[in-house]
Amino acid sequence: MSAPQPLLPEPVRRLGAWCAVALLVSGVVYLAIRLCAEFRTAVVPVLLALLGTALLRPFHRRLVKAKVNRSLAAGLTCVAVVAVVGGAVYIVVAALIDTGDEIVTSLKQAARGLTDHFGSAGTSLDDLASNARELLGKFGGTAASGVISGVSVVGESIAMAVLALLLVFFFLRDSDKAMDSLRSVAPRQSGDLMEAMARRAFKAVEGFMRGTTLIAFIDAVCITVGLLVLDVPGAVGLGALVFVGAYIPYLGAFLSGALAVLVALADRGFVIALWALGVVLAVQVMEGHVLQPAIQSRTVQMHPALVMVAITAGASVAGVLGILLAVPLTAAAFGVVHELRTRYEVPAESPVESPAESPNNSLAETPDESTPGPSDESPPGPSDAS
């Protein structure tokens, strides 16, 4: 009796199996994202601490090699981070405060120009200012509730930042015990695989953060020098803003460059603003065509289209934090996939050589000789010599 024929042909069954796997993986990823969003006050500090650890581990390692205690080295690293970040924020805020009036005046002039050219289609900031009291009275309750919610968001952000800083300290101090801890919770048979995946993912994130920091520093220095040559006020603060914004691909560079051009327009006029725009565009072209290929060529490479999709997905899930975390998490995922492919990829079978094609055909054609025993003092046979 012949075996029953399958209901569906082989290609359709393969497609169904792949669809089932894709649906299962999508469901798991969606559930993980929902859980992370639900426990964001605990998940976000851990992710930020991992990024900070990947960026600061070389500095901590140098301190440890200099015979500094691991706890003291981790504490000094965290203090240095607070000093650098606090100084950058102070410089940026001071620059924005100093040039805030000029920027507002420039925007008002631009709005009046739009009104003169397009009539009623233009936007008049003067009309908006004259109606501000009416708008405030009409939406006062909404504004008050917005302020209260904003205060709560600021408090939550400060708490997450402090927790992330403490986690960076513990991650740096106990980094030598991380693999042992991972092996203790992993199943016995998968300990090596889990360790290899964790190392590859962290190496990808570390390379991404190190390369991004170097590129951000070069961009900030070049733009700062250009703005100083153009005598734009707050050039140092704008350069610091460029450095911070470089960690958000594309969007950060656009916002920081636009602000630099606005400041130049407000204080130095239209011609200098065009020169500032040229400086920003030149630096961005240099970053995309020279710095990115040269500096990040040894880390996980991602196509710009994939980066933009990851940023969009991160923004839809977690807003600004999603934009910040999307690219390094994608780099870590690529590192894990590369490790799995390296381990489970089936090598191509090499063709079996016939004795006549073998380079040692003279040995293959000789008759088999008995292998001498351990006590035999005769010289080694042809098989031993090969």
Side-chain angles (χ1 to χ4, degrees):
M1 183 176 179
S2 61
Q5 296 293 329
L7 182 62
L8 297 175
E10 181 67 19
V12 176
R13 283 184 289 156
R14 288 179 177 273
L15 178 62
W18 278 110
C19 290
V21 171
L23 289 175
L24 180 61
V25 172
S26 301
V28 172
V29 171
Y30 176 78
L31 182 60
I33 291 175
R34 296 300 301 173
L35 289 175
C36 291
E38 190 69 23
F39 299 101
R40 63 183 182 277
T41 54
V43 174
V44 171
V46 173
L47 295 178
L48 293 178
L50 288 175
L51 296 183
T53 304
L55 180 62
L56 300 172
R57 200 172 69 132
F59 180 71
H60 176 263
R61 189 165 52 236
R62 290 184 179 182
L63 290 178
V64 172
K65 287 183 178 179
K67 306 302 182 181
V68 180
N69 182 268
R70 295 189 65 90
S71 298
L72 180 59
L76 292 176
T77 304
C78 293
V79 170
V81 170
V82 172
V84 171
V85 174
V89 171
Y90 174 78
I91 292 174
V92 171
V93 172
L96 293 179
I97 291 176
D98 292 340
T99 59
D101 295 336
E102 289 83 356
I103 294 175
V104 172
T105 302
S106 176
L107 291 177
K108 286 185 177 180
Q109 293 176 356
R112 291 194 185 97
L114 289 176
T115 304
D116 295 338
H117 283 85
F118 299 102
S120 59
T123 302
S124 176
L125 295 183
D126 293 335
D127 294 339
L128 182 61
S130 62
N131 296 328
R133 181 172 298 180
E134 181 181 354
L135 292 173
L136 183 60
K138 189 174 182 179
F139 301 103
T142 306
S145 62
V147 169
I148 294 175
S149 62
V151 170
S152 64
V153 169
V154 170
E156 181 179 330
S157 301
I158 293 175
M160 288 192 297
V162 173
L163 179 58
L165 184 64
L166 293 176
L167 289 175
V168 168
F169 171 79
F170 289 116
F171 288 169
L172 289 174
R173 190 191 67 176
D174 302 327
S175 59
D176 57 332
K177 306 175 184 177
M179 291 299 106
D180 294 336
S181 301
L182 182 62
R183 282 181 170 275
S184 65
V185 299
R188 182 175 301 177
Q189 301 297 329
S190 60
D192 294 337
L193 177 61
M194 294 292 292
E195 179 179 353
M197 291 170 58
R199 289 186 182 277
R200 183 61 68 96
F202 189 80
K203 183 179 180 181
V205 175
E206 186 177 17
F208 171 81
M209 294 297 294
R210 184 170 60 248
T212 302
T213 302
L214 182 56
I215 292 173
F217 178 76
I218 296 175
D219 289 353
V221 170
C222 293
I223 291 181
T224 301
V225 171
L227 295 179
L228 288 174
V229 171
L230 296 174
D231 197 18
V232 176
V236 177
L238 294 172
L241 185 62
V242 169
F243 180 81
V244 175
Y247 288 97
I248 304 177
Y250 301 112
L251 183 60
F254 173 77
L255 293 179
S256 58
L259 184 59
V261 174
L262 281 177
V263 173
L265 179 64
D267 189 80
R268 301 284 293 155
F270 183 73
V271 176
I272 300 299
L274 286 179
W275 279 102
L277 178 62
V279 170
V280 172
L281 291 179
V283 171
Q284 295 304 320
V285 169
M286 180 184 68
E287 174 187 344
H289 292 81
V290 178
L291 298 180
Q292 288 281 357
I295 294 177
Q296 291 192 342
S297 59
R298 298 182 180 180
T299 61
V300 176
Q301 292 297 300
M302 292 180 290
H303 195 274
L306 180 61
V307 173
M308 288 187 285
V309 170
I311 292 172
T312 304
S316 63
V317 172
V320 178
L321 281 175
I323 296 175
L324 178 63
L325 298 173
V327 179
L329 289 180
T330 306
F334 266 73
V336 172
V337 170
H338 182 74
E339 179 64 28
L340 291 176
R341 287 187 59 185
T342 303
R343 281 179 169 262
Y344 293 105
E345 187 176 11
V346 179
E349 295 182 1
S350 57
V352 180
E353 295 180 349
S354 61
E357 296 175 352
S358 175
N360 299 326
N361 53 359
S362 60
L363 297 180
E365 293 174 353
T366 56
D368 295 337
E369 299 182 5
S370 59
T371 305
S375 60
D376 213 335
E377 297 181 359
S378 60
S383 60
D384 295 330
S386 61

